[in-house]
Structures are given as C-alpha cells and as structure tokens.
Amino acid sequence: MNKRDFIAIGVVVLLSVLGFVFFALKGSGGQTVKISVGARVYGTYPLSENRELKIKTDAGYNLVEIKNGRVFVKDADCKDKSCVKQGEISGGSIVCLPHKLVVEVTGEGDFDAVAR
Amino acid sequence: MAKRISVIAVFTALALIFSYIEAIIPFNLGVPGVKLGIANIVVVCALYIFGVKEAAGISLIRVFVIGLLFGNAVSLIYSLSGAVLSIAVMIICKRLKLSVIGVSAMGGIFHNVGQLSAAALILNSSAVMYYYPVLFISGIVTGIIIGIVSLPIIKNSEKLRS
C-alpha cells in the first residue's frame, strides 16, 4: 500500500463518519414506531403500547411486535429473514428489502427518554 | 488475440463460479448484507492484467448471469448498482495510481455504497443509512483482503498477458 491509498481511504472514511453523524443526530431514538411499505406509510404506533402487527403486502407478510418499549420483526415469509435477525430496536430502523418494509423509530423523546 | 479472448472467457467463468460458491455457502459474518465478495478477486485481477474494458465487461456479465440464475429483478438492480459504482471507482483509483490493495478497498467500499443507495431509492427512505457504518467498514476490510489475494496473482500473470 502507498500513501495515496491511505489518503483515498481516509477521505472516504471521513466523509462517511460525517454522513453518519448527520443521520444519527437527525433521527436519534424516539417514541413512535413508523411502519412504511415502499413510499407509503402503513401506520404509526406508540412505542409504549405492546401490540402485534401483521403486515401483509403483495410481496409477502411480516409480523412486527412492539413490546416493552422495543420493536422487532417476529416472523416473515421471506427467504433470508434478515429483518428477524436484525433483532430488537428502540431507535434506528429495521429494513426488509424483499418486502420493501421499513420499521423506523422516530419522534421526539421526552425527558425520561433523554435521562435514560 | 485468440488466447487473450479465451483467457478473458476463463476469467468470466471463474467470476461466475466464485459468485456461485458464495451463493451456496454464504460467508455470513452475522450482519445482514456483509459478504466477502470473492468474485471481486477476478475483477481486480482483470483490471490489472487486461485493462478497463475487460474488467468492466467481466463484472457486468457476472452480475447479469448471476442475477438471471439466482436472483430476481430487484436483486439485479442492487447488484448492478453496486458493481457499476465499484468498477467505476476502481478505474478512477487505478488512474490515480493507488496500489492494488487501495484500488480493491475503494472498490469494496463503493460496492456497498452503490447497493445502499439503490436500497434507499427503491425503499424511498433514508432509513437504510443506519447500515452505512457497518457496510463501510466491511467494505474496507473485505476490499483489503481481496487486494492482498489479488496481488500475487497479478504479479505472476505475465504468461496470461501475451
């Protein structure tokens, strides 16, 4: 490896860190679960209420569960089940590419959430 | 000339076999979307042994054939955007006189960037950007590994060039 390698990789890494910080500040933790399929918003639900959602689309189905302030995909009929493996989240997002499903935790947190 | 064409054809076949191996035995590192991308060894080597056109051709043929055999229209879009961005960046980096390992690492990074951007566009959501750091680091690491493997192949390839 030469000097140019380190410069190129360094510049790219720096840009990515800046980009990630930007996204992290924009959408850090929250109180609301937003579920969207493609460009369409399927629905928004409070993170504090436990519930199970069966989301059926033309591509297939996903079983999303909200439990104790965390959200996760319990089951899906896709091949690789990446969305199930992504586990529980209380911030950020779970993405299912084959079904174009995005589960996102958004919204302003209250003081309790900040203190936690 | 005939020899050159045959060797390029063998390279393309090798890229397909590597993709096939990776499809049946995924080197799953626990994070969705992280792959070793061993087919990229062939593309990196072709870029140095033959040139820009040949490497781009091998990469695109590989994506289309693998897409037709194992994927669907959506997975083809992901692989295609990753492959196109990756090869474009590798060509630029080679012009900028980066080493084989550097070129390969940049190719690895931008392969992931291409796929992630395609996912963001298809899902019409920036939510996938949370995967950015993971795929970035994995792109660098796998790219460097691919570069290290490719280096001795390129050095010992005089017989293939003629």
Side-chain angles (χ1 to χ4, degrees), chain A residues 1-2 4-5 8 12-13 16 20 23 27 38-39 82 86 92-93 95 97 100 102, chain B residues 32 78 96-99 101-102 106 122-124 126-127 129-131 133 136 140:
Chain A
M1 290 177 91
N2 59 31
R4 285 164 189 262
D5 292 345
V12 172
V13 168
S16 79
F20 182 67
F23 278 109
S82 275
Q86 284 164 40
S93 64
V95 180
L97 286 180
K100 296 189 183 180
V102 179
Chain B
Y78 292 131
L96 292 174
K97 302 224 162 6
L98 268 71
S99 76
I101 295 169
M106 293 295 276
I122 289 175
L123 295 167
N124 199 6
S126 64
M129 290 303 167
Y130 289 108
Y131 291 119
F136 231 87
I140 296 175

PDB file of all heavy atoms in Angstrom, chain A residues 1-2 4-5 8 12-13 16 20 23 27 38-39 82 86 92-93 95 97 100 102, chain B residues 32 78 96-99 101-102 106 122-124 126-127 129-131 133 136 140:
ATOM      1  N   MET A   1       0.841  -1.202   0.000  1.00  0.00           N
ATOM      2  CA  MET A   1       0.000   0.000   0.000  1.00  0.00           C
ATOM      3  C   MET A   1       0.879   1.255   0.000  1.00  0.00           C
ATOM      4  O   MET A   1       1.929   1.260   0.624  1.00  0.00           O
ATOM      5  CB  MET A   1      -0.896   0.007   1.242  1.00  0.00           C
ATOM      6  CG  MET A   1      -1.976  -1.053   1.200  1.00  0.00           C
ATOM      7  SD  MET A   1      -2.952  -1.079   2.703  1.00  0.00           S
ATOM      8  CE  MET A   1      -4.272   0.047   2.279  1.00  0.00           C
ATOM      9  N   ASN A   2       0.464   2.287  -0.677  1.00  0.00           N
ATOM     10  CA  ASN A   2       1.252   3.515  -0.698  1.00  0.00           C
ATOM     11  C   ASN A   2       0.465   4.659  -0.050  1.00  0.00           C
ATOM     12  O   ASN A   2      -0.630   4.474   0.470  1.00  0.00           O
ATOM     13  CB  ASN A   2       1.659   3.864  -2.143  1.00  0.00           C
ATOM     14  CG  ASN A   2       0.444   4.051  -3.043  1.00  0.00           C
ATOM     15  OD1 ASN A   2      -0.611   4.485  -2.593  1.00  0.00           O
ATOM     16  ND2 ASN A   2       0.588   3.729  -4.310  1.00  0.00           N
ATOM     17  N   ARG A   4      -0.988   7.226  -1.316  1.00  0.00           N
ATOM     18  CA  ARG A   4      -2.261   7.588  -1.962  1.00  0.00           C
ATOM     19  C   ARG A   4      -3.415   6.718  -1.471  1.00  0.00           C
ATOM     20  O   ARG A   4      -4.547   7.176  -1.354  1.00  0.00           O
ATOM     21  CB  ARG A   4      -2.123   7.439  -3.484  1.00  0.00           C
ATOM     22  CG  ARG A   4      -1.313   8.544  -4.114  1.00  0.00           C
ATOM     23  CD  ARG A   4      -0.897   8.148  -5.511  1.00  0.00           C
ATOM     24  NE  ARG A   4       0.043   9.091  -6.062  1.00  0.00           N
ATOM     25  CZ  ARG A   4      -0.314  10.076  -6.884  1.00  0.00           C
ATOM     26  NH1 ARG A   4      -1.575  10.240  -7.205  1.00  0.00           N
ATOM     27  NH2 ARG A   4       0.579  10.889  -7.364  1.00  0.00           N
ATOM     28  N   ASP A   5      -3.119   5.435  -1.189  1.00  0.00           N
ATOM     29  CA  ASP A   5      -4.155   4.535  -0.666  1.00  0.00           C
ATOM     30  C   ASP A   5      -4.740   5.095   0.617  1.00  0.00           C
ATOM     31  O   ASP A   5      -5.957   5.174   0.785  1.00  0.00           O
ATOM     32  CB  ASP A   5      -3.566   3.150  -0.349  1.00  0.00           C
ATOM     33  CG  ASP A   5      -3.144   2.431  -1.600  1.00  0.00           C
ATOM     34  OD1 ASP A   5      -3.549   2.867  -2.686  1.00  0.00           O
ATOM     35  OD2 ASP A   5      -2.402   1.454  -1.489  1.00  0.00           O
ATOM     36  N   ALA A   8      -6.818   8.262   0.067  1.00  0.00           N
ATOM     37  CA  ALA A   8      -8.129   7.992  -0.541  1.00  0.00           C
ATOM     38  C   ALA A   8      -9.071   7.351   0.463  1.00  0.00           C
ATOM     39  O   ALA A   8     -10.214   7.802   0.638  1.00  0.00           O
ATOM     40  CB  ALA A   8      -7.960   7.090  -1.760  1.00  0.00           C
ATOM     41  N   VAL A  12     -12.565   9.027   2.244  1.00  0.00           N
ATOM     42  CA  VAL A  12     -13.869   8.353   2.158  1.00  0.00           C
ATOM     43  C   VAL A  12     -14.413   8.040   3.549  1.00  0.00           C
ATOM     44  O   VAL A  12     -15.592   8.237   3.832  1.00  0.00           O
ATOM     45  CB  VAL A  12     -13.744   7.078   1.296  1.00  0.00           C
ATOM     46  CG1 VAL A  12     -15.024   6.267   1.362  1.00  0.00           C
ATOM     47  CG2 VAL A  12     -13.445   7.437  -0.146  1.00  0.00           C
ATOM     48  N   VAL A  13     -13.531   7.569   4.423  1.00  0.00           N
ATOM     49  CA  VAL A  13     -13.966   7.237   5.789  1.00  0.00           C
ATOM     50  C   VAL A  13     -14.445   8.498   6.506  1.00  0.00           C
ATOM     51  O   VAL A  13     -15.496   8.497   7.160  1.00  0.00           O
ATOM     52  CB  VAL A  13     -12.825   6.562   6.584  1.00  0.00           C
ATOM     53  CG1 VAL A  13     -13.169   6.491   8.070  1.00  0.00           C
ATOM     54  CG2 VAL A  13     -12.571   5.163   6.052  1.00  0.00           C
ATOM     55  N   SER A  16     -17.833   9.447   5.357  1.00  0.00           N
ATOM     56  CA  SER A  16     -18.872   8.544   5.857  1.00  0.00           C
ATOM     57  C   SER A  16     -19.181   8.825   7.319  1.00  0.00           C
ATOM     58  O   SER A  16     -20.328   8.777   7.745  1.00  0.00           O
ATOM     59  CB  SER A  16     -18.455   7.101   5.677  1.00  0.00           C
ATOM     60  OG  SER A  16     -17.548   6.747   6.684  1.00  0.00           O
ATOM     61  N   PHE A  20     -22.712   9.839   8.759  1.00  0.00           N
ATOM     62  CA  PHE A  20     -23.384   9.052   9.788  1.00  0.00           C
ATOM     63  C   PHE A  20     -23.770   9.924  10.978  1.00  0.00           C
ATOM     64  O   PHE A  20     -24.864   9.799  11.513  1.00  0.00           O
ATOM     65  CB  PHE A  20     -22.505   7.892  10.242  1.00  0.00           C
ATOM     66  CG  PHE A  20     -23.194   7.045  11.270  1.00  0.00           C
ATOM     67  CD1 PHE A  20     -24.302   6.295  10.923  1.00  0.00           C
ATOM     68  CD2 PHE A  20     -22.775   7.035  12.585  1.00  0.00           C
ATOM     69  CE1 PHE A  20     -24.968   5.532  11.849  1.00  0.00           C
ATOM     70  CE2 PHE A  20     -23.448   6.280  13.536  1.00  0.00           C
ATOM     71  CZ  PHE A  20     -24.542   5.528  13.167  1.00  0.00           C
ATOM     72  N   PHE A  23     -26.909  11.728  10.141  1.00  0.00           N
ATOM     73  CA  PHE A  23     -28.114  10.897  10.248  1.00  0.00           C
ATOM     74  C   PHE A  23     -28.427  10.553  11.697  1.00  0.00           C
ATOM     75  O   PHE A  23     -29.589  10.494  12.089  1.00  0.00           O
ATOM     76  CB  PHE A  23     -27.958   9.618   9.436  1.00  0.00           C
ATOM     77  CG  PHE A  23     -28.253   9.824   7.993  1.00  0.00           C
ATOM     78  CD1 PHE A  23     -27.239   9.787   7.059  1.00  0.00           C
ATOM     79  CD2 PHE A  23     -29.548  10.076   7.570  1.00  0.00           C
ATOM     80  CE1 PHE A  23     -27.511   9.992   5.724  1.00  0.00           C
ATOM     81  CE2 PHE A  23     -29.825  10.281   6.239  1.00  0.00           C
ATOM     82  CZ  PHE A  23     -28.808  10.246   5.311  1.00  0.00           C
ATOM     83  N   GLY A  27     -31.999  11.564  13.503  1.00  0.00           N
ATOM     84  CA  GLY A  27     -33.020  10.595  13.916  1.00  0.00           C
ATOM     85  C   GLY A  27     -32.571   9.715  15.074  1.00  0.00           C
ATOM     86  O   GLY A  27     -32.461   8.520  14.938  1.00  0.00           O
ATOM     87  N   GLY A  38     -42.641   0.587   0.969  1.00  0.00           N
ATOM     88  CA  GLY A  38     -42.278   1.412  -0.176  1.00  0.00           C
ATOM     89  C   GLY A  38     -42.389   2.864   0.222  1.00  0.00           C
ATOM     90  O   GLY A  38     -41.914   3.270   1.273  1.00  0.00           O
ATOM     91  N   ALA A  39     -43.052   3.674  -0.590  1.00  0.00           N
ATOM     92  CA  ALA A  39     -43.180   5.090  -0.289  1.00  0.00           C
ATOM     93  C   ALA A  39     -44.382   5.360   0.618  1.00  0.00           C
ATOM     94  O   ALA A  39     -44.545   6.453   1.131  1.00  0.00           O
ATOM     95  CB  ALA A  39     -43.326   5.881  -1.589  1.00  0.00           C
ATOM     96  N   SER A  82     -33.670 -11.585   7.091  1.00  0.00           N
ATOM     97  CA  SER A  82     -32.728 -10.578   7.589  1.00  0.00           C
ATOM     98  C   SER A  82     -33.394  -9.686   8.627  1.00  0.00           C
ATOM     99  O   SER A  82     -32.800  -9.320   9.627  1.00  0.00           O
ATOM    100  CB  SER A  82     -32.241  -9.695   6.447  1.00  0.00           C
ATOM    101  OG  SER A  82     -31.174 -10.293   5.808  1.00  0.00           O
ATOM    102  N   GLN A  86     -32.255  -8.863  12.512  1.00  0.00           N
ATOM    103  CA  GLN A  86     -31.823  -7.533  12.932  1.00  0.00           C
ATOM    104  C   GLN A  86     -32.198  -7.238  14.381  1.00  0.00           C
ATOM    105  O   GLN A  86     -31.696  -6.280  14.971  1.00  0.00           O
ATOM    106  CB  GLN A  86     -32.398  -6.470  11.990  1.00  0.00           C
ATOM    107  CG  GLN A  86     -31.653  -6.426  10.659  1.00  0.00           C
ATOM    108  CD  GLN A  86     -32.420  -5.669   9.591  1.00  0.00           C
ATOM    109  OE1 GLN A  86     -33.023  -4.643   9.853  1.00  0.00           O
ATOM    110  NE2 GLN A  86     -32.398  -6.177   8.378  1.00  0.00           N
ATOM    111  N   GLY A  92     -33.444   3.958  15.549  1.00  0.00           N
ATOM    112  CA  GLY A  92     -32.951   3.484  14.269  1.00  0.00           C
ATOM    113  C   GLY A  92     -34.037   2.775  13.482  1.00  0.00           C
ATOM    114  O   GLY A  92     -35.205   3.139  13.596  1.00  0.00           O
ATOM    115  N   SER A  93     -33.662   1.748  12.715  1.00  0.00           N
ATOM    116  CA  SER A  93     -34.659   1.151  11.842  1.00  0.00           C
ATOM    117  C   SER A  93     -34.375  -0.311  11.554  1.00  0.00           C
ATOM    118  O   SER A  93     -33.267  -0.787  11.731  1.00  0.00           O
ATOM    119  CB  SER A  93     -34.709   1.919  10.524  1.00  0.00           C
ATOM    120  OG  SER A  93     -33.477   1.778   9.863  1.00  0.00           O
ATOM    121  N   VAL A  95     -35.045  -2.935   8.309  1.00  0.00           N
ATOM    122  CA  VAL A  95     -35.407  -2.880   6.904  1.00  0.00           C
ATOM    123  C   VAL A  95     -35.577  -4.297   6.359  1.00  0.00           C
ATOM    124  O   VAL A  95     -34.773  -5.171   6.640  1.00  0.00           O
ATOM    125  CB  VAL A  95     -34.323  -2.142   6.084  1.00  0.00           C
ATOM    126  CG1 VAL A  95     -34.711  -2.088   4.621  1.00  0.00           C
ATOM    127  CG2 VAL A  95     -34.103  -0.747   6.624  1.00  0.00           C
ATOM    128  N   LEU A  97     -35.757  -5.737   2.734  1.00  0.00           N
ATOM    129  CA  LEU A  97     -35.657  -5.348   1.323  1.00  0.00           C
ATOM    130  C   LEU A  97     -36.667  -6.056   0.416  1.00  0.00           C
ATOM    131  O   LEU A  97     -37.336  -5.392  -0.364  1.00  0.00           O
ATOM    132  CB  LEU A  97     -34.234  -5.579   0.808  1.00  0.00           C
ATOM    133  CG  LEU A  97     -33.195  -4.578   1.299  1.00  0.00           C
ATOM    134  CD1 LEU A  97     -31.838  -4.922   0.718  1.00  0.00           C
ATOM    135  CD2 LEU A  97     -33.564  -3.169   0.902  1.00  0.00           C
ATOM    136  N   LYS A 100     -39.966  -4.488   0.827  1.00  0.00           N
ATOM    137  CA  LYS A 100     -39.900  -3.021   0.852  1.00  0.00           C
ATOM    138  C   LYS A 100     -40.454  -2.446   2.158  1.00  0.00           C
ATOM    139  O   LYS A 100     -41.076  -1.395   2.177  1.00  0.00           O
ATOM    140  CB  LYS A 100     -40.645  -2.415  -0.339  1.00  0.00           C
ATOM    141  CG  LYS A 100     -40.028  -2.784  -1.664  1.00  0.00           C
ATOM    142  CD  LYS A 100     -40.658  -1.995  -2.769  1.00  0.00           C
ATOM    143  CE  LYS A 100     -40.101  -2.406  -4.116  1.00  0.00           C
ATOM    144  NZ  LYS A 100     -40.676  -1.672  -5.211  1.00  0.00           N
ATOM    145  N   VAL A 102     -40.105  -0.895   5.913  1.00  0.00           N
ATOM    146  CA  VAL A 102     -39.191  -0.177   6.794  1.00  0.00           C
ATOM    147  C   VAL A 102     -39.900   0.083   8.114  1.00  0.00           C
ATOM    148  O   VAL A 102     -40.973   0.669   8.144  1.00  0.00           O
ATOM    149  CB  VAL A 102     -38.740   1.164   6.176  1.00  0.00           C
ATOM    150  CG1 VAL A 102     -37.812   1.900   7.135  1.00  0.00           C
ATOM    151  CG2 VAL A 102     -38.031   0.938   4.861  1.00  0.00           C
TER     152      VAL A 102
ATOM    153  N   PRO B  32     -26.457  -8.719   8.349  1.00  0.00           N
ATOM    154  CA  PRO B  32     -27.065  -8.845   7.035  1.00  0.00           C
ATOM    155  C   PRO B  32     -26.397  -7.940   6.020  1.00  0.00           C
ATOM    156  O   PRO B  32     -26.094  -6.792   6.315  1.00  0.00           O
ATOM    157  CB  PRO B  32     -28.524  -8.435   7.266  1.00  0.00           C
ATOM    158  CG  PRO B  32     -28.556  -7.784   8.589  1.00  0.00           C
ATOM    159  CD  PRO B  32     -27.411  -8.285   9.373  1.00  0.00           C
ATOM    160  N   TYR B  78     -29.911  -4.141  -7.297  1.00  0.00           N
ATOM    161  CA  TYR B  78     -28.929  -3.946  -6.225  1.00  0.00           C
ATOM    162  C   TYR B  78     -27.526  -4.322  -6.686  1.00  0.00           C
ATOM    163  O   TYR B  78     -26.581  -3.554  -6.535  1.00  0.00           O
ATOM    164  CB  TYR B  78     -29.278  -4.803  -4.998  1.00  0.00           C
ATOM    165  CG  TYR B  78     -30.529  -4.386  -4.291  1.00  0.00           C
ATOM    166  CD1 TYR B  78     -31.502  -5.305  -3.966  1.00  0.00           C
ATOM    167  CD2 TYR B  78     -30.730  -3.059  -3.938  1.00  0.00           C
ATOM    168  CE1 TYR B  78     -32.661  -4.930  -3.323  1.00  0.00           C
ATOM    169  CE2 TYR B  78     -31.882  -2.675  -3.295  1.00  0.00           C
ATOM    170  CZ  TYR B  78     -32.841  -3.619  -2.981  1.00  0.00           C
ATOM    171  OH  TYR B  78     -33.971  -3.239  -2.343  1.00  0.00           O
ATOM    172  N   LEU B  96      -5.447   7.128 -10.615  1.00  0.00           N
ATOM    173  CA  LEU B  96      -4.823   7.987  -9.610  1.00  0.00           C
ATOM    174  C   LEU B  96      -3.618   7.304  -8.964  1.00  0.00           C
ATOM    175  O   LEU B  96      -3.071   7.803  -7.989  1.00  0.00           O
ATOM    176  CB  LEU B  96      -5.839   8.368  -8.533  1.00  0.00           C
ATOM    177  CG  LEU B  96      -6.988   9.283  -8.968  1.00  0.00           C
ATOM    178  CD1 LEU B  96      -7.999   9.456  -7.853  1.00  0.00           C
ATOM    179  CD2 LEU B  96      -6.469  10.651  -9.413  1.00  0.00           C
ATOM    180  N   LYS B  97      -3.244   6.144  -9.502  1.00  0.00           N
ATOM    181  CA  LYS B  97      -2.050   5.419  -9.082  1.00  0.00           C
ATOM    182  C   LYS B  97      -2.115   4.927  -7.629  1.00  0.00           C
ATOM    183  O   LYS B  97      -1.124   4.980  -6.887  1.00  0.00           O
ATOM    184  CB  LYS B  97      -0.786   6.280  -9.282  1.00  0.00           C
ATOM    185  CG  LYS B  97      -0.551   6.748 -10.706  1.00  0.00           C
ATOM    186  CD  LYS B  97       0.880   6.580 -11.093  1.00  0.00           C
ATOM    187  CE  LYS B  97       1.159   6.600 -12.584  1.00  0.00           C
ATOM    188  NZ  LYS B  97       0.056   6.910 -13.479  1.00  0.00           N
ATOM    189  N   LEU B  98      -3.287   4.452  -7.227  1.00  0.00           N
ATOM    190  CA  LEU B  98      -3.357   3.759  -5.946  1.00  0.00           C
ATOM    191  C   LEU B  98      -2.803   2.354  -6.142  1.00  0.00           C
ATOM    192  O   LEU B  98      -2.736   1.865  -7.259  1.00  0.00           O
ATOM    193  CB  LEU B  98      -4.817   3.658  -5.469  1.00  0.00           C
ATOM    194  CG  LEU B  98      -5.320   4.789  -4.560  1.00  0.00           C
ATOM    195  CD1 LEU B  98      -5.480   6.064  -5.353  1.00  0.00           C
ATOM    196  CD2 LEU B  98      -6.631   4.410  -3.928  1.00  0.00           C
ATOM    197  N   SER B  99      -2.399   1.696  -5.040  1.00  0.00           N
ATOM    198  CA  SER B  99      -1.893   0.327  -5.160  1.00  0.00           C
ATOM    199  C   SER B  99      -3.060  -0.634  -5.365  1.00  0.00           C
ATOM    200  O   SER B  99      -4.226  -0.251  -5.266  1.00  0.00           O
ATOM    201  CB  SER B  99      -1.123  -0.055  -3.906  1.00  0.00           C
ATOM    202  OG  SER B  99      -2.024  -0.327  -2.866  1.00  0.00           O
ATOM    203  N   ILE B 101      -4.104  -2.983  -3.493  1.00  0.00           N
ATOM    204  CA  ILE B 101      -4.896  -3.115  -2.266  1.00  0.00           C
ATOM    205  C   ILE B 101      -5.804  -1.895  -2.086  1.00  0.00           C
ATOM    206  O   ILE B 101      -6.976  -2.026  -1.738  1.00  0.00           O
ATOM    207  CB  ILE B 101      -3.973  -3.324  -1.050  1.00  0.00           C
ATOM    208  CG1 ILE B 101      -3.250  -4.663  -1.194  1.00  0.00           C
ATOM    209  CG2 ILE B 101      -4.755  -3.282   0.248  1.00  0.00           C
ATOM    210  CD1 ILE B 101      -2.124  -4.886  -0.204  1.00  0.00           C
ATOM    211  N   GLY B 102      -5.263  -0.715  -2.358  1.00  0.00           N
ATOM    212  CA  GLY B 102      -6.069   0.504  -2.248  1.00  0.00           C
ATOM    213  C   GLY B 102      -7.225   0.503  -3.227  1.00  0.00           C
ATOM    214  O   GLY B 102      -8.360   0.836  -2.868  1.00  0.00           O
ATOM    215  N   MET B 106     -11.176   0.495  -2.151  1.00  0.00           N
ATOM    216  CA  MET B 106     -12.126   1.512  -2.611  1.00  0.00           C
ATOM    217  C   MET B 106     -13.275   0.857  -3.378  1.00  0.00           C
ATOM    218  O   MET B 106     -14.437   1.267  -3.249  1.00  0.00           O
ATOM    219  CB  MET B 106     -11.410   2.536  -3.509  1.00  0.00           C
ATOM    220  CG  MET B 106     -10.392   3.387  -2.793  1.00  0.00           C
ATOM    221  SD  MET B 106     -11.130   4.451  -1.551  1.00  0.00           S
ATOM    222  CE  MET B 106     -11.645   5.822  -2.576  1.00  0.00           C
ATOM    223  N   ILE B 122     -35.032   2.627  -3.847  1.00  0.00           N
ATOM    224  CA  ILE B 122     -36.154   1.702  -4.039  1.00  0.00           C
ATOM    225  C   ILE B 122     -37.144   1.809  -2.880  1.00  0.00           C
ATOM    226  O   ILE B 122     -38.356   1.839  -3.076  1.00  0.00           O
ATOM    227  CB  ILE B 122     -35.632   0.255  -4.204  1.00  0.00           C
ATOM    228  CG1 ILE B 122     -34.931   0.105  -5.552  1.00  0.00           C
ATOM    229  CG2 ILE B 122     -36.779  -0.747  -4.097  1.00  0.00           C
ATOM    230  CD1 ILE B 122     -34.273  -1.229  -5.767  1.00  0.00           C
ATOM    231  N   LEU B 123     -36.613   1.883  -1.650  1.00  0.00           N
ATOM    232  CA  LEU B 123     -37.489   1.979  -0.481  1.00  0.00           C
ATOM    233  C   LEU B 123     -37.992   3.396  -0.272  1.00  0.00           C
ATOM    234  O   LEU B 123     -38.858   3.637   0.547  1.00  0.00           O
ATOM    235  CB  LEU B 123     -36.745   1.528   0.776  1.00  0.00           C
ATOM    236  CG  LEU B 123     -36.326   0.067   0.831  1.00  0.00           C
ATOM    237  CD1 LEU B 123     -35.351  -0.149   1.962  1.00  0.00           C
ATOM    238  CD2 LEU B 123     -37.537  -0.816   1.025  1.00  0.00           C
ATOM    239  N   ASN B 124     -37.411   4.340  -1.016  1.00  0.00           N
ATOM    240  CA  ASN B 124     -37.751   5.746  -0.879  1.00  0.00           C
ATOM    241  C   ASN B 124     -37.616   6.186   0.580  1.00  0.00           C
ATOM    242  O   ASN B 124     -38.505   6.824   1.136  1.00  0.00           O
ATOM    243  CB  ASN B 124     -39.172   6.001  -1.384  1.00  0.00           C
ATOM    244  CG  ASN B 124     -39.393   7.461  -1.689  1.00  0.00           C
ATOM    245  OD1 ASN B 124     -38.449   8.257  -1.624  1.00  0.00           O
ATOM    246  ND2 ASN B 124     -40.617   7.836  -1.995  1.00  0.00           N
ATOM    247  N   SER B 126     -34.548   7.069   3.846  1.00  0.00           N
ATOM    248  CA  SER B 126     -33.144   7.180   4.237  1.00  0.00           C
ATOM    249  C   SER B 126     -32.845   6.261   5.418  1.00  0.00           C
ATOM    250  O   SER B 126     -31.755   6.279   5.964  1.00  0.00           O
ATOM    251  CB  SER B 126     -32.814   8.628   4.597  1.00  0.00           C
ATOM    252  OG  SER B 126     -33.567   8.997   5.725  1.00  0.00           O
ATOM    253  N   ALA B 127     -33.847   5.427   5.801  1.00  0.00           N
ATOM    254  CA  ALA B 127     -33.670   4.586   6.975  1.00  0.00           C
ATOM    255  C   ALA B 127     -32.501   3.614   6.811  1.00  0.00           C
ATOM    256  O   ALA B 127     -31.830   3.277   7.786  1.00  0.00           O
ATOM    257  CB  ALA B 127     -34.947   3.803   7.256  1.00  0.00           C
ATOM    258  N   MET B 129     -29.723   4.124   5.782  1.00  0.00           N
ATOM    259  CA  MET B 129     -28.436   4.761   6.036  1.00  0.00           C
ATOM    260  C   MET B 129     -27.853   4.369   7.399  1.00  0.00           C
ATOM    261  O   MET B 129     -26.682   4.581   7.657  1.00  0.00           O
ATOM    262  CB  MET B 129     -28.571   6.286   5.955  1.00  0.00           C
ATOM    263  CG  MET B 129     -28.811   6.772   4.552  1.00  0.00           C
ATOM    264  SD  MET B 129     -27.505   6.239   3.428  1.00  0.00           S
ATOM    265  CE  MET B 129     -28.221   6.587   1.841  1.00  0.00           C
ATOM    266  N   TYR B 130     -28.695   3.784   8.258  1.00  0.00           N
ATOM    267  CA  TYR B 130     -28.166   3.312   9.532  1.00  0.00           C
ATOM    268  C   TYR B 130     -27.169   2.178   9.323  1.00  0.00           C
ATOM    269  O   TYR B 130     -26.357   1.894  10.187  1.00  0.00           O
ATOM    270  CB  TYR B 130     -29.306   2.829  10.441  1.00  0.00           C
ATOM    271  CG  TYR B 130     -30.144   3.956  10.953  1.00  0.00           C
ATOM    272  CD1 TYR B 130     -31.426   4.166  10.479  1.00  0.00           C
ATOM    273  CD2 TYR B 130     -29.627   4.834  11.908  1.00  0.00           C
ATOM    274  CE1 TYR B 130     -32.196   5.218  10.937  1.00  0.00           C
ATOM    275  CE2 TYR B 130     -30.382   5.881  12.376  1.00  0.00           C
ATOM    276  CZ  TYR B 130     -31.662   6.072  11.886  1.00  0.00           C
ATOM    277  OH  TYR B 130     -32.405   7.120  12.344  1.00  0.00           O
ATOM    278  N   TYR B 131     -27.244   1.523   8.174  1.00  0.00           N
ATOM    279  CA  TYR B 131     -26.295   0.444   7.885  1.00  0.00           C
ATOM    280  C   TYR B 131     -24.973   0.958   7.348  1.00  0.00           C
ATOM    281  O   TYR B 131     -24.049   0.198   7.144  1.00  0.00           O
ATOM    282  CB  TYR B 131     -26.889  -0.529   6.867  1.00  0.00           C
ATOM    283  CG  TYR B 131     -28.012  -1.311   7.439  1.00  0.00           C
ATOM    284  CD1 TYR B 131     -29.279  -1.241   6.906  1.00  0.00           C
ATOM    285  CD2 TYR B 131     -27.793  -2.119   8.540  1.00  0.00           C
ATOM    286  CE1 TYR B 131     -30.315  -1.939   7.454  1.00  0.00           C
ATOM    287  CE2 TYR B 131     -28.823  -2.825   9.099  1.00  0.00           C
ATOM    288  CZ  TYR B 131     -30.084  -2.731   8.548  1.00  0.00           C
ATOM    289  OH  TYR B 131     -31.097  -3.419   9.106  1.00  0.00           O
ATOM    290  N   PRO B 133     -22.322   2.682   8.449  1.00  0.00           N
ATOM    291  CA  PRO B 133     -21.030   2.384   9.064  1.00  0.00           C
ATOM    292  C   PRO B 133     -20.629   0.921   8.946  1.00  0.00           C
ATOM    293  O   PRO B 133     -19.473   0.626   8.619  1.00  0.00           O
ATOM    294  CB  PRO B 133     -21.221   2.761  10.535  1.00  0.00           C
ATOM    295  CG  PRO B 133     -22.552   3.341  10.657  1.00  0.00           C
ATOM    296  CD  PRO B 133     -23.283   3.234   9.391  1.00  0.00           C
ATOM    297  N   PHE B 136     -19.653   0.065   5.458  1.00  0.00           N
ATOM    298  CA  PHE B 136     -18.448   0.800   5.110  1.00  0.00           C
ATOM    299  C   PHE B 136     -17.210   0.071   5.605  1.00  0.00           C
ATOM    300  O   PHE B 136     -16.275  -0.183   4.865  1.00  0.00           O
ATOM    301  CB  PHE B 136     -18.510   2.181   5.757  1.00  0.00           C
ATOM    302  CG  PHE B 136     -18.240   3.252   4.783  1.00  0.00           C
ATOM    303  CD1 PHE B 136     -19.272   3.778   4.030  1.00  0.00           C
ATOM    304  CD2 PHE B 136     -16.954   3.709   4.605  1.00  0.00           C
ATOM    305  CE1 PHE B 136     -19.016   4.753   3.112  1.00  0.00           C
ATOM    306  CE2 PHE B 136     -16.704   4.687   3.687  1.00  0.00           C
ATOM    307  CZ  PHE B 136     -17.728   5.217   2.938  1.00  0.00           C
ATOM    308  N   ILE B 140     -14.227  -1.912   3.459  1.00  0.00           N
ATOM    309  CA  ILE B 140     -12.783  -1.683   3.546  1.00  0.00           C
ATOM    310  C   ILE B 140     -12.063  -2.999   3.842  1.00  0.00           C
ATOM    311  O   ILE B 140     -11.096  -3.359   3.166  1.00  0.00           O
ATOM    312  CB  ILE B 140     -12.455  -0.652   4.653  1.00  0.00           C
ATOM    313  CG1 ILE B 140     -13.057   0.708   4.298  1.00  0.00           C
ATOM    314  CG2 ILE B 140     -10.955  -0.517   4.832  1.00  0.00           C
ATOM    315  CD1 ILE B 140     -12.886   1.750   5.381  1.00  0.00           C
TER     316      ILE B 140
END
